Amino acid sequence: MDPGIEYLQHLQHLLTREKEADYIAWQEQVTGMTLADRVRLGLSWHPVTVVKTGFTIGDKVQVTVQRAPASPNNSRLKAGAPATFYSLAAHAGNPRLNGVIHYATETRMQLILHVQDLPDWLTAGPLGVDLDFDIRTYQEMEKALTRALTARSGTLPKFREIFAGMRPAESFPVDGDAGAPESTLNHAQIAAVRGIEAAKDAFLVHGPPGTGKTTTLVAAIARLTKRENQVLVCAPSNTATDVLAERLDAAGLKVVRLGHISRVDEEVVRLTLDARVDAHPENREIKKIRILAAEARRKAGRHRRSFDQQARSERKAGYAEAREWEEWARHLEDRLVDQILDSAQVIAATLTGASHPLLEKRRFQTLVVDEAAQALEPALWIPLDHVEKVILAGDPFQLPPTVKSADAARQGLSRTLMERLLPHFPFVQLLQIQYRMHPAIMAFSNHYFYGGQLQSAPALLEQPPDDSAFPPLLFIDTAGCGFDERLHPVSRSLSNPDEGVLITCHLESLLTHTHGYPPPEIMILSPYREQVEHLREVLLVNGTHAHLPLSVQTIDGFQGQETDIVILSLVRSNDRSEIGFLKDYRRMNVAMTRARRQLVVIGDSATIGQDPFYEAFLRHCQDTGAWRSAWEYVR
């Protein structure tokens, strides 16, 4: 069998296993569960009251609901998640409407519903919101793999053969008349920009933490737009897509961000297609026509309870008039949308968002995928049908994609396309100069993950000598202190309150050391959500540190960001040397490379030290004088 076909069929099989595992896990959670259980586990909000209604950009229905302040704070209904809004009132016919969560705080949530008009049962309580299983991503990946398997022409067969190792990728000669890339780039970044320009099929940019990957991509995309009509930019997550879209906009490029506005960061909403349509002068006329359509529908609806001939005729005529107005508005809007998309230099979307119907007939010379090492390989095939060449940028030694099926992960689904290609692909550029971290923070990750190839930027090397009272790297060892981990009976996640006490002690030490100076930005990270919730409660709600520029996050939630100081709570402390999540070394690499000035790791060496990764880290801390005992803080 053709190796390219065989390879894609294997991906199809793994994707099916993943979808099944994800859906089974979902069903096990919600099937047969009482409403009270769903509320307690954060899968539902009930009861809720409507506090505001209206229409968003793009004339989508929005409903803002509120729940009691004493409700459980472990909600899984987050911004961008699919949800169902419903009423349990018997006389309302138990209606249910699907939508997407625009934002959610502890007590308030805004939903954008997939309907044209506000439902008439908003006052027919009790009302609630349920989290839905998101099947759409799987459907788009399945369709993309089917297209790639059956394609006999276009670029898909080429990508199929290159990625299966059946055919080499090619590169054009470098255009000597194209001019040099920006002088602000270093030699590795310039080489990456030139490689991107010269690539005929594919090019890889390996960007370890702090090496200016986004800066490099922005420079390359800006140059590509001078010779290509448009560039398609994608990433596996909305956050990563938003970051790159915002940077491209700041560089002066005209960017259109495709995607549901509920999933787009507030700072980027102005770049969305909906916002650009809404701000366009021609949209005023479209809105006027839509008002006429709504008025015609409203008048026709008055005759719902009348059954005489005249009422039926008037109702029929009213709905016909509404349809005519709607068709005219749609025609004008389609023309306006095409005009806006045609004028864009960059179109940005998530990998799944690249399945947007508006892209169906559009072709691009180049696709740039940021954070490609976090993308499931089937998702990468979604936009490949639209392009001639693909640029994959990322770092396989940071966060991997989430895979629910252990079987699919073992058979290769957790191994991304970039990770697969990196060791042998002919066109790869490693970005070697890092600008973020103090050299002492970089040292361990550089040695363990990158073979010592990374170098600190000259400005980092010119820093004053380390302050012994404020060391750039610190491991606080809780071994022998009795700081045992705790398992939450409902969430089944772990916490370690005693590590929270150590964090409080270290914060007080930091405040003393930085007295008289602007306080540094501090991020407290943990791989365990229960520990994050505990630390937020202790430090930000009931603590005395709420005035500080201090945040608490999971490691995954802080991917791609940086701050002055990172305090990492490892949580695990038991007599079985079980470390669970901590086995994901790439996740730890993310946590250990976010800090600019100081990295503090708190953990139990007796528990984690049996693992080779943590054994190497502990040895590094001892060799560099970064090890401290927790007894120094708690005695």
Side-chain angles (χ1 to χ4, degrees):
M1 181 185 289
D2 181 326
I5 299 294
E6 191 172 12
Y7 136 77
L8 285 173
Q9 287 178 337
H10 180 62
L11 271 184
Q12 273 188 324
H13 168 72
L14 297 184
L15 185 62
T16 299
R17 300 298 296 271
E18 172 68 1
K19 182 175 70 172
E20 290 171 350
D22 197 7
Y23 187 63
I24 288 171
W26 170 260
Q27 280 191 313
E28 287 175 350
Q29 274 196 309
V30 301
T31 302
M33 193 180 289
T34 65
L35 178 57
D37 285 340
R38 293 203 308 272
V39 170
R40 190 179 70 253
L41 293 174
L43 300 169
S44 297
W45 279 26
H46 187 275
V48 298
T49 55
V50 175
V51 294
K52 187 178 179 182
T53 63
F55 295 85
T56 68
I57 292 171
D59 292 324
K60 295 179 174 65
V61 170
Q62 68 177 19
V63 175
T64 304
V65 299
Q66 185 170 287
R67 64 175 180 170
S71 302
N73 63 358
N74 62 338
S75 175
R76 290 174 54 187
L77 288 102
K78 308 290 185 183
T84 298
F85 180 48
Y86 59 90
S87 170
L88 293 181
H91 63 276
N94 193 18
R96 302 177 70 85
L97 294 177
N98 297 113
V100 177
I101 299 170
H102 189 197
Y103 71 80
T105 64
E106 191 170 325
T107 59
R108 186 170 285 211
M109 177 194 303
Q110 186 178 86
L111 293 154
I112 298 179
L113 302 175
H114 303 323
V115 291
Q116 282 189 322
D117 299 307
L118 286 163
D120 55 10
W121 44 262
L122 290 181
T123 57
L127 305 174
V129 181
D130 285 348
L131 185 67
D132 280 346
F133 179 74
D134 191 358
I135 192 68
R136 179 176 172 266
T137 299
Y138 289 109
Q139 291 171 334
E140 297 302 337
M141 288 191 287
E142 288 167 343
K143 286 191 285 188
L145 289 179
T146 299
R147 285 196 303 269
L149 270 167
T150 57
R152 295 294 176 263
S153 60
T155 55
L156 287 179
K158 175 185 73 172
F159 289 128
R160 190 171 65 208
E161 293 172 4
I162 290 172
F163 297 158
M166 300 167 58
R167 139 185 194 177
E170 298 180 57
S171 180
F172 293 112
V174 176
D175 184 357
D177 298 325
E182 292 181 35
S183 59
T184 55
L185 302 181
N186 63 47
H187 65 90
Q189 293 170 329
I190 290 173
V193 172
R194 290 196 181 280
I196 288 170
E197 290 181 299
K200 184 178 180 181
D201 309 305
F203 189 86
L204 274 58
V205 179
H206 183 187
T211 56
K213 171 175 59 68
T214 304
T215 299
T216 304
L217 293 181
V218 169
I221 292 166
R223 287 173 65 84
L224 289 172
T225 58
K226 293 177 181 178
R227 64 173 72 180
E228 301 175 12
N229 183 40
Q230 288 180 329
V231 176
L232 178 60
V233 169
C234 293
S237 69
N238 282 288
T239 299
T241 306
D242 289 343
V243 168
L244 190 51
E246 193 169 17
R247 288 285 298 273
L248 290 164
D249 173 69
L253 297 177
K254 190 167 184 180
V255 181
V256 173
R257 169 71 160 95
L258 288 184
H260 200 294
I261 60 170
S262 65
R263 294 185 168 101
V264 175
D265 187 89
E266 288 184 7
E267 296 298 318
V268 185
V269 165
R270 60 189 174 82
L271 303 179
T272 62
L273 179 62
D274 285 338
R276 291 202 181 277
V277 167
D278 195 62
H280 199 283
E282 291 182 19
N283 193 47
R284 293 195 195 98
E285 183 64 24
I286 296 172
K287 285 189 172 182
K288 289 178 182 176
I289 295 171
R290 287 232 159 93
I291 290 171
L292 292 172
E295 180 64 17
R297 272 199 309 274
R298 186 182 66 79
K299 288 180 178 178
R302 290 176 182 171
H303 302 290
R304 277 186 304 178
R305 302 183 187 280
S306 300
F307 299 99
D308 59 87
Q309 183 63 40
Q310 183 179 351
R312 282 197 294 270
S313 297
E314 289 179 2
R315 183 176 60 196
K316 184 177 179 181
Y319 282 130
E321 181 185 358
R323 282 195 299 273
E324 288 177 6
W325 285 124
E326 277 293 347
E327 287 172 9
W328 178 235
R330 194 175 300 114
H331 169 74
L332 294 178
E333 188 173 67
D334 288 347
R335 190 177 66 181
L336 178 56
V337 164
D338 285 340
Q339 179 183 331
I340 291 171
L341 289 179
D342 288 343
S343 65
Q345 294 171 289
V346 177
I347 294 179
T350 61
L351 291 168
T352 304
S355 63
H356 199 293
L358 290 172
L359 294 184
E360 191 173 335
K361 295 180 180 179
R362 288 185 176 265
R363 297 291 305 174
F364 304 85
Q365 180 66 27
T366 304
L367 162 68
V368 177
V369 182
D370 196 11
E371 303 298 355
Q374 289 185 45
L376 286 175
E377 187 166 348
L380 274 167
W381 284 94
I382 295 172
L384 283 178
D385 193 26
H386 301 288
V387 303
E388 299 296 323
K389 73 175 182 181
V390 58
I391 311 303
L392 302 179
D395 180 15
F397 302 114
Q398 295 189 63
L399 285 182
T402 300
V403 177
K404 307 288 178 62
S405 166
D407 183 49
R410 278 193 301 270
Q411 293 187 55
L413 189 60
S414 61
R415 193 166 185 234
T416 65
L417 176 62
M418 185 168 186
E419 187 178 359
R420 218 165 38 78
L421 294 178
L422 200 60
H424 58 79
F425 202 70
F427 303 117
V428 179
Q429 179 60 50
L430 171 69
L431 304 181
Q432 298 164 296
I433 312 297
Q434 78 85 15
Y435 297 86
R436 175 190 299 161
M437 297 164 272
H438 187 288
I441 299 174
M442 178 188 78
F444 176 71
S445 286
N446 186 23
H447 171 75
Y448 194 91
F449 292 102
Y450 306 106
Q453 296 181 83
L454 304 187
Q455 306 164 31
S456 292
L460 294 174
L461 297 173
E462 293 166 4
Q463 294 185 44
D466 295 342
D467 182 345
S468 60
F470 187 74
L473 177 64
L474 197 59
F475 177 75
I476 303 176
D477 193 351
T478 67
C481 294
F483 291 0
D484 294 338
E485 64 195 47
R486 298 183 186 178
L487 178 67
H488 193 280
V490 177
S491 70
R492 310 304 293 172
S493 183
L494 293 167
S495 65
N496 194 317
D498 292 314
E499 288 190 4
V501 174
L502 281 181
I503 290 171
T504 301
C505 293
H506 187 72
L507 287 174
E508 291 170 357
S509 174
L510 280 175
L511 289 176
T512 301
H513 183 76
T514 59
H515 181 69
Y517 299 92
E521 294 179 354
I522 303 168
M523 175 57 70
I524 300 172
L525 298 177
S526 179
Y528 291 94
R529 180 161 294 281
E530 193 61 38
Q531 179 73 341
V532 168
E533 296 297 336
H534 169 74
L535 293 174
R536 283 176 178 165
E537 185 76 18
V538 170
L539 298 172
L540 302 180
V541 179
N542 300 326
T544 59
H545 305 292
H547 65 289
L548 292 175
L550 169 69
S551 300
V552 185
Q553 262 287 14
T554 61
I555 296 171
D556 294 31
F558 200 57
Q559 162 81 338
Q561 302 177 64
E562 60 184 74
T563 191
D564 292 326
I565 296 170
V566 166
I567 303 175
L568 173 60
S569 172
L570 297 182
V571 174
R572 299 314 298 259
S573 181
N574 56 71
D575 56 10
R576 305 174 301 282
S577 297
E578 292 180 358
I579 63 172
F581 276 175
L582 304 190
K583 272 283 188 185
D584 190 340
Y585 306 148
R586 293 182 291 186
R587 182 171 272 106
M588 288 301 111
N589 187 38
V590 169
M592 292 177 175
T593 55
R594 303 297 102 192
R596 292 187 286 262
R597 295 170 54 189
Q598 185 183 55
L599 169 66
V600 180
V601 182
I602 299 175
D604 181 349
S605 64
T607 299
I608 67 175
Q610 306 303 311
D611 180 90
F613 172 80
Y614 294 98
E615 180 187 23
F617 177 67
L618 292 171
R619 189 167 57 249
H620 173 80
C621 291
Q622 290 168 342
D623 292 345
T624 58
W627 182 90
R628 298 283 190 279
S629 171
W631 289 113
E632 298 178 30
Y633 291 83
V634 298
R635 62 187 174 189

